[in-house]
Amino acid sequence: MTTRLRAPQHRVSPRAVPMWTLSHTVSSILITAVLIAAVWGVVAAGWSWVPAWLLERAWWIPVLYAGYALVKTVVAPRWRYRVHRWEVTADVVYTRTGWLSRAWQLVPVGRIQTVDTTQGWLERMFRLATLRVQTASYAGSSTIEGLDAAEAQRISEELALRVGDVGDDAT
């Protein structure tokens, strides 16, 4: 008899999609602006060591990046929402992440050393939080981004109680 790896039960909060979209939008605008300024500076400087064919086509760099950024801003948050899942059972914290290549991670409750709930300013705006479950092993730690803030707090408290009940030294 073989055990099949199934998708964890829960998705992150639907409010994570607009948060990720806004985050991608802001970073894309900033990077595009820096690229435009860099290209303008190189073209305006008229450095002789820069080949003429490159100066003529330099504006394609920010244009191509802006196209890539637009696709990433529209597609990535929605895809991420569909793929990223999590589940907490009696004995394991189970996550699945990844867009093209997938990573399944199972963290035994008995191995957990700390459980942290964090909120950046953008997460606070959307009432979301990130849950970090850490073990002594770097590879054994797990992060769940985009959880409802109240749910993340509840899970954090619940896991802390479970870890305390196990009574193991988590090593």
Side-chain angles (χ1 to χ4, degrees), residues 94-151:
Y94 180 28
T95 60
R96 182 183 76 181
T97 59
W99 303 345
L100 297 178
S101 55
R102 302 273 166 86
W104 286 265
Q105 194 165 31
L106 295 107
V107 178
V109 171
R111 305 294 286 176
I112 296 174
Q113 287 190 328
T114 60
V115 180
D116 301 319
T117 303
T118 59
Q119 269 188 313
W121 67 272
L122 193 55
E123 287 175 313
R124 279 196 311 275
M125 259 179 51
F126 286 90
R127 297 183 327 271
L128 298 171
T130 298
L131 182 74
R132 285 182 176 64
V133 177
Q134 298 176 343
T135 66
S137 165
Y138 172 76
S141 299
S142 186
T143 301
I144 308 169
E145 297 178 30
L147 286 175
D148 178 78
E151 187 170 34

Side-chain angles (χ1 to χ4, degrees), residues 13-85:
S13 172
R15 290 190 310 275
V17 174
M19 183 193 71
W20 291 329
T21 302
L22 179 60
S23 176
H24 283 293
T25 301
V26 170
S27 65
S28 296
I29 289 170
L30 291 175
I31 292 171
T32 303
V34 167
L35 288 172
I36 289 170
V39 167
W40 179 82
V42 169
V43 170
W47 291 323
S48 61
W49 58 271
V50 178
W53 64 267
L54 183 59
L55 288 175
E56 293 169 4
R57 293 170 181 85
W59 290 105
W60 280 103
I61 295 170
V63 169
L64 290 173
Y65 178 78
Y68 159 77
L70 180 64
V71 170
K72 180 180 175 185
T73 300
V74 171
V75 174
R78 286 149 189 81
W79 189 318
R80 187 175 180 184
Y81 175 74
R82 291 179 55 149
V83 172
H84 287 212
R85 292 177 178 261

